[in-house]
Amino acid sequence: MSMFGMNITSIQDAVTRLKSVKDGQEFSVLLSGLRNFLKTLDIDSQCLMELEQRAYYVVNEYSDKETRNNLDAAIKRVIEYLEEIMTGSPADDQLLTVLDNYYLFLESFLERPPHKRGSIQKEQLSGLKIQNEYDVQHLLYAYLKPLYPLARAEVSEDTGYGTVRTDIFLDSEHVIEVKCTRNSMKLKKLTEEIEADMVHYSAEHIYFFIYDKEKIIENPQLFRNTYENKVKGKRIHIVIHQPKIL
């Protein structure tokens, strides 16, 4: 079997390969590899069905030229669809705005009184408390998933000298590391964790999402200025939330 569609590493990689498809057989093999790749990204069945619909084309057994035209049209449709998916990849300024607005989501979800005629009770919402970084990660992932459908939680990466696990993986160049302060955590411990993570991740853009529950960061702006853009070849982004209630 042709290796043309095997080992697809990204959506952009698939787009590049699609542009050089020679015939229907290569297109079929590439689609198979693309399906397998998209499944690793937890793409839902509706998206896969959309891919199939766009990839369908009619083979005219009496005209190779018409078949080729139909194939080219199908390739174009698939590329357009993949590019639509990629628009969900994070633009840096947009992602920072989304992360900065996270607490607005928490306030609306957990602190705003539910409608009196609804079945959700205020007591139920008040029972949801953020205790550690796993709680933060769970809510942050749910907050980001509709905006970035390709986002994945807890993705392992082999760095060559060990394995690191990304809290939230948006794409190969954008990852989010979640931190949540606790009673026993000192500022020194937090900074040591951040400095270690800066080196370990291979992504160009590393976002440290710090839920400073215990308010151990006295000067958030100074803290950001200290660590952003500190590692050569990478962009470090620091997002700090210091909650009022949770």
Side-chain angles (χ1 to χ4, degrees):
M1 177 181 286
S2 169
M3 297 297 290
F4 185 78
M6 301 297 102
N7 301 318
I8 292 175
T9 58
S10 67
I11 293 179
Q12 184 57 59
D13 177 36
V15 170
T16 301
R17 297 193 197 195
L18 280 164
K19 291 178 179 179
S20 60
V21 164
K22 295 178 182 178
D23 52 39
Q25 182 179 1
E26 277 195 357
F27 184 53
S28 178
V29 172
L30 180 55
L31 282 176
S32 178
L34 178 57
R35 289 188 206 98
N36 291 334
F37 173 73
L38 291 177
K39 287 176 182 176
T40 69
L41 302 182
D42 293 329
I43 290 291
D44 60 36
S45 58
Q46 185 174 353
C47 288
L48 292 174
M49 186 178 298
E50 176 73 17
L51 174 66
E52 297 299 329
Q53 291 174 346
R54 299 208 184 194
Y56 176 77
Y57 68 100
V58 175
V59 176
N60 188 329
E61 59 181 304
Y62 302 108
S63 173
D64 292 340
K65 181 178 180 181
E66 183 174 339
T67 296
R68 181 69 214 194
N69 289 339
N70 294 341
L71 173 61
D72 288 341
I75 291 172
K76 182 180 179 181
R77 290 193 299 269
V78 171
I79 289 175
E80 288 174 347
Y81 183 56
L82 294 179
E83 289 176 342
E84 287 174 16
I85 293 177
M86 283 194 295
T87 59
S89 296
D92 302 326
D93 291 343
Q94 179 190 38
L95 178 55
L96 282 173
T97 299
V98 169
L99 294 176
D100 283 337
N101 288 338
Y102 172 74
Y103 198 66
L104 294 178
F105 158 71
L106 289 186
E107 286 182 326
S108 298
F109 177 50
L110 298 178
E111 298 176 21
R112 181 172 176 268
H115 197 284
K116 294 179 180 179
R117 294 183 179 179
S119 61
I120 298 174
Q121 302 299 311
K122 183 177 181 180
E123 293 73 22
Q124 292 174 305
L125 295 177
S126 63
L128 291 173
K129 298 292 183 183
I130 291 178
Q131 302 293 340
N132 54 44
E133 68 182 48
Y134 298 103
D135 298 333
V136 178
Q137 178 183 319
H138 180 80
L139 289 169
L140 180 61
Y141 179 73
Y143 170 65
L144 292 173
K145 188 68 173 178
L147 301 174
Y148 306 105
L150 300 184
R152 289 182 287 162
E154 299 189 347
V155 175
S156 295
E157 175 187 355
D158 185 357
T159 64
Y161 52 82
T163 301
V164 296
R165 188 174 64 183
T166 303
D167 288 335
I168 298 178
F169 177 94
L170 297 179
D171 60 34
S172 60
E173 296 302 329
H174 299 80
V175 299
I176 300 174
E177 176 66 20
V178 176
K179 304 292 182 185
C180 181
T181 59
R182 53 191 180 274
N183 284 330
S184 60
M185 177 179 274
K186 302 297 183 183
L187 185 60
K188 181 180 179 181
K189 173 64 174 174
L190 176 62
T191 58
E192 287 175 348
E193 290 183 6
I194 290 174
E195 288 173 356
D197 290 335
M198 284 180 181
V199 177
H200 290 159
Y201 291 120
S202 62
E204 179 181 351
H205 295 267
I206 305 172
Y207 296 79
F208 288 94
F209 187 89
I210 304 171
Y211 194 81
D212 188 11
K213 186 171 179 289
E214 302 301 326
K215 299 181 175 62
I216 66 175
I217 301 174
E218 294 183 0
N219 190 327
Q221 186 58 55
L222 178 60
F223 190 92
R224 278 191 290 267
N225 293 343
T226 300
Y227 290 100
E228 288 186 342
N229 306 321
K230 189 171 184 177
V231 179
K232 186 177 181 180
K234 297 180 181 179
R235 292 290 307 277
I236 306 300
H237 310 273
I238 305 289
V239 177
I240 301 171
H241 286 280
Q242 295 179 316
K244 300 172 184 178
I245 297 177
L246 296 177

